[in-house]
Amino acid sequence: MNYFELFDIPVTLQVDKNILSKKYVELQKKFHPDFFTQATEQEQADALETSSQVNKALKVLRNEDATIKYVLQLKGLLEEEEKYQLPPDFLMEVMELNEELSDDSVQQVNELEQQIKAPVQAIIDNFTESGTSTADLLKVKEYYYKKKYLQRILDRMAG
């Protein structure tokens, strides 16, 4: 059972946080291990496993980047340790930015992130499981890897 099925919500790249919270509370009321103290060992183990899955799912579905990664994995378009080749022009732009890290760099990275998101924003906003093409999802995949690359720069600057 995937995380969307677990929460009984449609597969999407942008999960409605209000619906997610409501479903999470419902699932915790149903499967939290504290409600199974009088149950059999197997029922307790099942409840613990389901509760753990609910918590993992919440963590993923609450975060847009993690949700994008998860959907791409569900669709078989992204592998865990994939060596994704980013376009050379993007790498050059980021390398220049990386060499000139300054106080303005955070703003520059954020502006670059907006530039790379703009072409895929409509795909993310309008994603449907059956209506979004593989070609469009591959554009989202490239955005995901570019954003991940930019995030590493921001993390390094903060650290």
Side-chain angles (χ1 to χ4, degrees), residues 138-154:
L138 290 173
K139 291 175 190 171
V140 172
K141 177 180 180 175
E142 182 162 300
Y143 158 73
Y144 169 79
Y145 275 104
K146 286 179 177 178
K147 182 163 187 221
K148 194 173 169 181
Y149 201 90
L150 292 175
Q151 188 59 51
R152 280 198 294 257
I153 294 172
L154 291 174

Side-chain angles (χ1 to χ4, degrees), residues 12 18 30 39 45 52 66 77 128 143 157:
T12 181
N18 293 327
K30 189 173 178 182
S52 174
L77 298 174
T128 62
Y143 158 73
M157 289 172 60

Side-chain angles (χ1 to χ4, degrees), residues 29-145:
K29 283 180 182 174
K30 189 173 178 182
F31 295 109
H32 196 279
D34 289 351
F35 298 120
F36 288 83
T37 55
Q38 303 300 312
T40 67
E41 270 187 49
Q42 185 59 49
E43 289 169 331
Q44 288 178 6
D46 291 347
L48 185 62
E49 175 64 28
T50 303
S51 183
S52 174
Q53 281 295 101
V54 167
N55 289 327
K56 285 180 196 169
L58 179 71
K59 187 176 180 187
V60 167
L61 298 176
R62 195 184 264 170
N63 177 300
E64 185 177 300
D65 293 336
T67 302
I68 288 172
K69 177 182 178 184
Y70 186 73
V71 170
L72 290 171
Q73 287 173 324
L74 280 179
K75 296 291 184 185
L77 298 174
L78 190 147
E79 295 173 27
E80 195 57 50
E81 296 299 319
E82 185 173 336
K83 301 287 184 232
Y84 188 78
Q85 279 301 118
L86 288 166
D89 57 333
F90 173 77
L91 292 173
M92 287 300 293
E93 187 174 359
V94 172
M95 195 166 61
E96 289 171 17
L97 188 68
N98 221 348
E99 288 172 1
E100 303 165 11
L101 289 180
S102 67
D103 294 340
D104 296 336
S105 295
V106 171
Q107 183 179 345
Q108 288 175 300
V109 170
N110 288 334
E111 287 171 8
L112 185 54
E113 184 183 323
Q114 292 307 313
Q115 288 172 21
I116 63 171
K117 189 171 189 178
V120 295
Q121 187 67 60
I123 299 168
I124 292 170
D125 291 345
N126 302 311
F127 173 85
T128 62
E129 193 169 14
S130 59
T132 302
S133 70
T134 299
D136 280 346
L137 284 174
L138 290 173
K139 291 175 190 171
V140 172
K141 177 180 180 175
E142 182 162 300
Y143 158 73
Y144 169 79
Y145 275 104

